[in-house]
Amino acid sequence: MNSDFVNLTTENLVNEHLCCIIRSKKPHPGIDAKRQWLLARLNEGHVFRKLNEKATVFIEYAPLETAWVPITGDNYYYLYCLWVSGSHKGKGYGQSLLSYCVADAKEKGKSGLCMLGAKKQKAWLSDQSFVKNFGFEVVDNTDNGYELLALSFDKTTPKFAQTVKKQEIESKELTIYYDMQCPYIYQNIERIKQYCEENAVPVSLIQVDTLKKAKELLCVFNNWGVFYKGKFETVNLLDVAYVKRILKK
């Protein structure tokens, strides 16, 4: 194993920083929530591998069967997040991390890897043009532009759960499904809650807290899904400007 990188384990999870948010010197509720979420996942084969320094350079993936996403398939890995930022870009770290994931999948006899993408790159999804250079291809899509990308080793392919194609819920108010897989979610939820309270905007914030709930969602989901007027809007986390834009529809 390359000493430049370290994999999180149940033993080192408490002491290792989580690369997603590294600027925070004070205790951060989003990071604490992520640690708790990860602690329950690591024994399921979930992998969080990061550069062994204070940097936002990491990959996070899990067996598709236990990945909290409404995607079905046999014997695949699901890639939640591949992120290299700032001064660490352009140094081959992304390639090293993805190569590790591919090698791990082959060593474990997996059928391939898959991840959520979109026809137009979304800010909160991993760079699909990068993974396409590794041979990932579009194997399924939704009619609003989301795509399932896969690198298959044996010609089998995963697909979106049938429920995903619906992309509608009965409730007409702003509705957000979320889990604690990303440390940014906690503060995002608090910000939206505050804005909606101050502006008398009805909102439903629904925590996806079991694998079963994640697998049965009515929209694509990487850790976040937004509906308004019954229609699915985005997997992107929201700032106040984005909330206002959605509410104008």
Side-chain angles (χ1 to χ4, degrees):
M1 189 179 284
N2 190 327
S3 61
D4 287 348
F5 296 95
V6 61
N7 287 22
L8 294 184
T9 65
T10 50
E11 287 76 33
N12 70 12
L13 179 60
V14 176
N15 298 318
E16 290 287 345
H17 78 273
L18 295 183
C19 322
C20 329
I21 298 178
I22 58 175
R23 295 171 296 283
S24 179
K25 289 205 169 82
K26 294 180 291 191
H28 190 292
I31 290 176
D32 294 341
K34 164 83 177 190
R35 278 193 213 284
Q36 288 303 312
W37 189 89
L38 264 180
L39 188 60
R41 304 282 79 74
L42 288 171
N43 290 329
E44 300 169 351
H46 188 106
V47 175
F48 189 113
R49 181 173 174 79
K50 68 191 186 88
L51 192 63
N52 198 10
E53 59 181 86
K54 205 165 185 187
T56 305
V57 179
F58 71 97
I59 191 168
E60 189 170 1
Y61 60 92
L64 182 55
E65 292 81 358
T66 54
W68 287 30
V69 289
I71 295 167
T72 61
D74 291 324
N75 205 32
Y76 262 73
Y77 268 147
Y78 178 77
L79 176 54
Y80 283 105
C81 201
L82 173 59
W83 197 4
V84 177
S85 77
S87 61
H88 293 85
K89 281 185 176 178
K91 294 182 177 175
Y93 290 131
Q95 192 150 354
S96 292
L97 288 166
L98 190 50
S99 294
Y100 175 90
C101 179
V102 171
D104 184 26
K106 287 181 174 174
E107 189 184 313
K108 299 231 175 31
K110 296 291 181 189
S111 294
L113 320 171
C114 63
M115 67 171 247
L116 181 62
K119 278 183 183 165
K120 187 181 174 192
Q121 177 70 45
K122 305 287 182 187
W124 288 90
L125 295 179
S126 299
D127 184 348
Q128 58 217 32
S129 61
F130 178 75
V131 300
K132 282 178 178 174
N133 289 333
F134 265 73
F136 279 70
E137 296 176 339
V138 177
V139 295
D140 200 0
N141 55 60
T142 65
D143 58 15
N144 64 339
Y146 286 91
E147 297 175 335
L148 180 60
L149 305 174
L151 174 63
S152 178
F153 305 147
D154 61 8
K155 299 197 166 83
T156 64
T157 52
K159 59 182 188 293
F160 287 124
Q162 205 49 47
T163 51
V164 164
K165 307 286 175 130
K166 192 172 181 191
Q167 299 179 89
E168 286 183 19
I169 58 173
E170 287 183 16
S171 173
K172 300 300 178 196
E173 68 186 24
L174 181 64
T175 303
I176 298 171
Y177 292 87
Y178 68 96
D179 66 27
M180 285 302 176
Q181 192 262 337
C182 170
Y184 285 98
I185 286 172
Y186 188 97
Q187 63 198 42
N188 215 249
I189 286 290
E190 292 304 308
R191 198 178 297 134
I192 290 162
K193 202 186 286 180
Q194 184 181 350
Y195 174 82
C196 290
E197 279 173 7
E198 288 171 357
N199 294 277
V201 175
V203 62
S204 290
L205 303 170
I206 301 168
Q207 185 170 355
V208 177
D209 53 9
T210 66
L211 176 65
K212 186 173 186 291
K213 286 180 188 174
K215 291 292 186 193
E216 293 173 353
L217 284 166
L218 302 179
C219 62
V220 293
F221 184 81
N222 199 44
N223 48 44
W224 183 266
V226 181
F227 287 84
Y228 185 55
K229 294 186 176 173
K231 302 283 186 193
F232 177 67
E233 289 288 336
T234 184
V235 294
N236 282 16
L237 272 68
L238 307 177
D239 57 17
V240 167
Y242 203 156
V243 174
K244 286 179 180 173
R245 217 157 54 236
I246 288 172
L247 293 174
K248 277 183 185 162
K249 291 190 175 186

